[in-house]
Amino acid sequence: MYSDIAVSVTGVGKCYLVYDRPQDRLKQALFGTLARLLGRPVPRYFREFWALRDVGFSIRRGETVGIIGRNGAGKSTLLEIICGTLAPTTGVVETHGRVAALLELGSGFNPEFTGRENIRLNASILGLSDGEIEERLPAIMEFAGLGDFIDQPVKTYSSGMAVRLAFAVMAHIDADILIIDEALAVGDAFFVQKCMRFLHEFTERGTLLFISHDTSAVVALCDRAIWLEKGEVIHDGEPKEVSDAYLAKIYESIGSGSGSAAAQPPTDAEEADGASVAAHAETEATIPASATSFGAGGASVRSVRLLDQNGIALLAIEGGERVTLAITAALDLALQNPIIGFVIRDRMGQKLFSDNTFLSFGNGMIPAGPGTLLQANFEFDMPYLLAGDYSVSATVADGTQQSHVMHHWVNDALVFKSLQPHGHRGMVGLTSMVMTIERL
């Protein structure tokens, strides 16, 4: 019977019994069994650890879902349960279609077998017939790109080579559902790009569920994101929204605080006819009321303006023009080494480029006291961007690039439009290039 649901997870929980000493495990087996036989209360020589607790969601056919969360959040445990390699303590998981998974490195491989032998073994486990395996073997070996190592024992492979072999098999079994843990993190750049091209193609016909700490990859690839924290679903929704909330929590946990400075209402802009829209720069706060923010609260971003060379605020760009991104921050506390920075993202939330004052000045910034108003000006040639809307997130922090307190991070503090009248150049086009052509 056809179902529009590819994966259904209902009330799933996974509990592990933790024994403080080896003898406690033996006591539990002996005295626990004896107590049950005598009809007495069963003693407990263990502690319960719930890796997952009451997790529930459904994934439709053709949907791409990213699972994010910190180490120990239960992400890998959840994927193992969905794959069927781990039994849940509570709840039910249902999958509809052939499932292929890339979880722990080397899982499903016999280290004594050669790569070629493991291809046959793995493909057979995943449901291919002997004829199908022989037919697809050349394509699998070509995708893996292991050369003569294909006939060497897998125990001699590096972690990257093992991933190549596992992904190559998974890519050729006509799976309906792909489940991927962060195994691709160990691959080389060329192979990872090949895998990402395959995944982009697969999302057009199949269901993809994967784990990533790279929120940009989740935003770029996924239709939906699920955030796990301590074994529970914290947020399930649009990738950019979930990723922003997750990053805010990460900054909060490393000491930047949980406060969120109040956003200021936007100023009115005067629209002009023609290919660009401009407004005179204002010194008052220009943060949209819809912008979300977080931070410790010792300083706040007051305005973010994109200016042309005459100091006129731009709401649209064409690409190639010289612009200044001006960010103003107000200090409520004394900062020893204030840092102001920005991130520019496309409408899907993908990070295009970023910078901050610490990268340029290092420890050259001077301390500033309460009540100080700082303005950082980033002057650069605007790259050619695809037509559409783009946003600027702005930050003010204190410390160094590696260790700092995030006092205020504002998502979507400024939104501008790219008109891109110069033709298609990809996601980001170069603004300065010397081009020649000659007959050789």
Side-chain angles (χ1 to χ4, degrees), residues 264 284-287 300-304 328-330 332 373 408:
Q264 301 295 325
E284 294 81 8
T286 58
I287 307 299
S300 60
V301 176
R302 290 296 180 86
S303 72
V304 180
T328 304
D332 297 319
L373 201 64
H408 197 197

Side-chain angles (χ1 to χ4, degrees), residues 97-169:
R98 177 181 284 176
V99 179
L102 183 61
L103 300 176
E104 296 181 13
L105 293 178
S107 60
F109 287 159
N110 185 324
E112 301 297 332
F113 286 7
T114 66
R116 189 188 302 269
E117 291 168 334
N118 270 294
I119 289 175
R120 292 191 174 98
L121 173 64
N122 221 297
S124 177
I125 292 173
L126 292 171
L128 293 189
S129 66
D130 291 342
E132 289 173 324
I133 293 173
E134 292 306 317
E135 180 184 346
R136 302 179 193 191
L137 187 59
I140 294 173
M141 292 191 297
E142 182 181 358
F143 193 101
L146 296 176
D148 294 337
F149 282 98
I150 198 69
D151 291 310
Q152 296 299 317
V154 166
K155 66 181 180 182
T156 65
Y157 286 12
S158 67
S159 58
M161 293 167 69
V163 166
R164 282 175 171 267
L165 190 64
F167 197 98
V169 174

Side-chain angles (χ1 to χ4, degrees), residues 301 303-304 327 341-343 392-396 408-413:
V301 176
S303 72
V304 180
I327 302 175
F342 71 91
V343 178
V392 181
S393 296
T395 67
V396 55
H408 197 197
W409 178 300
V410 187
N411 291 306
D412 306 327

Side-chain angles (χ1 to χ4, degrees), residues 10-76:
T10 307
V12 165
K14 181 61 181 178
C15 180
Y16 292 97
L17 306 184
V18 180
Y19 297 90
D20 293 328
R21 300 173 300 172
Q23 55 265 42
D24 290 341
R25 190 182 297 273
L26 178 61
K27 288 180 181 179
Q28 187 65 44
L30 294 176
F31 298 141
T33 301
L34 182 61
R36 280 190 290 271
L37 291 174
L38 297 177
R40 295 179 179 176
V42 178
R44 295 176 56 155
Y45 297 94
F46 59 84
R47 293 177 288 106
E48 290 185 347
F49 171 72
W50 286 88
L52 296 172
R53 193 185 294 272
D54 195 28
V55 174
F57 55 85
S58 295
I59 300 175
R60 298 189 306 276
R61 288 185 183 275
E63 199 170 17
T64 302
V65 178
I67 298 180
I68 61 176
R70 285 179 277 196
N71 293 333
K75 306 184 299 298
S76 296

Side-chain angles (χ1 to χ4, degrees), residues 228-246:
L228 282 183
E229 185 79 20
K230 296 181 180 178
E232 298 181 354
V233 175
I234 301 299
H235 203 343
D236 180 352
E238 192 271 327
K240 185 177 183 301
E241 177 185 345
V242 175
S243 296
D244 285 347
Y246 170 64

Side-chain angles (χ1 to χ4, degrees), residues 243-256:
S243 296
D244 285 347
Y246 170 64
L247 291 175
K249 183 68 175 180
I250 293 295
Y251 272 108
E252 176 185 334
S253 68
I254 61 176
S256 63

Side-chain angles (χ1 to χ4, degrees), residues 138-388:
I140 294 173
M141 292 191 297
E142 182 181 358
F143 193 101
L146 296 176
D148 294 337
F149 282 98
I150 198 69
D151 291 310
Q152 296 299 317
V154 166
K155 66 181 180 182
T156 65
Y157 286 12
S158 67
S159 58
M161 293 167 69
V163 166
R164 282 175 171 267
L165 190 64
F167 197 98
V169 174
M170 187 183 68
H172 290 83
I173 65 164
D174 297 333
D176 301 300
I177 304 168
L178 287 186
I179 298 177
I180 303 178
D181 206 335
E182 284 205 286
L184 290 182
V186 302
D188 62 79
F190 295 105
F191 186 72
V192 169
Q193 286 298 317
K194 181 191 289 188
C195 293
M196 291 305 292
R197 285 195 297 272
F198 167 79
L199 292 179
H200 277 288
E201 294 171 1
F202 179 82
T203 56
E204 298 178 1
R205 65 179 189 275
T207 305
L208 176 63
L209 179 62
F210 79 108
I211 287 174
S212 179
H213 285 287
D214 183 358
T215 55
S216 296
V218 172
V219 170
L221 194 62
C222 296
D223 308 311
R224 176 177 159 205
I226 297 173
W227 170 18
L228 282 183
E229 185 79 20
K230 296 181 180 178
E232 298 181 354
V233 175
I234 301 299
H235 203 343
D236 180 352
E238 192 271 327
K240 185 177 183 301
E241 177 185 345
V242 175
S243 296
D244 285 347
Y246 170 64
L247 291 175
K249 183 68 175 180
I250 293 295
Y251 272 108
E252 176 185 334
S253 68
I254 61 176
S256 63
S258 58
S260 177
Q264 301 295 325
T267 59
D268 293 330
E270 301 174 358
E271 295 193 1
D273 294 331
S276 65
V277 182
H280 286 285
E282 301 288 342
T283 56
E284 294 81 8
T286 58
I287 307 299
S290 59
T292 59
S293 63
F294 61 89
S300 60
V301 176
R302 290 296 180 86
S303 72
V304 180
R305 293 166 294 158
L306 188 63
L307 309 174
D308 66 12
Q309 289 185 297
N310 296 317
I312 305 299
L314 298 169
L315 298 182
I317 57 96
E318 295 184 3
E321 60 266 58
R322 192 72 174 174
V323 299
T324 298
L325 183 64
I327 302 175
T328 304
L331 276 55
D332 297 319
L333 300 177
L335 303 188
Q336 292 302 308
N337 193 38
I339 305 171
I340 296 176
F342 71 91
V343 178
I344 293 184
R345 294 187 172 96
D346 65 11
R347 65 180 183 85
M348 299 299 294
Q350 297 181 86
K351 179 180 175 181
L352 301 183
F353 57 95
S354 63
D355 209 334
N356 64 61
T357 54
F358 185 85
L359 293 174
S360 297
F361 298 113
N363 293 320
M365 288 293 290
I366 58 175
T372 302
L373 201 64
L374 297 176
Q375 178 167 308
N377 296 318
F378 302 89
E379 185 177 349
F380 55 94
D381 291 330
M382 179 63 72
Y384 298 114
L385 303 174
L386 288 175

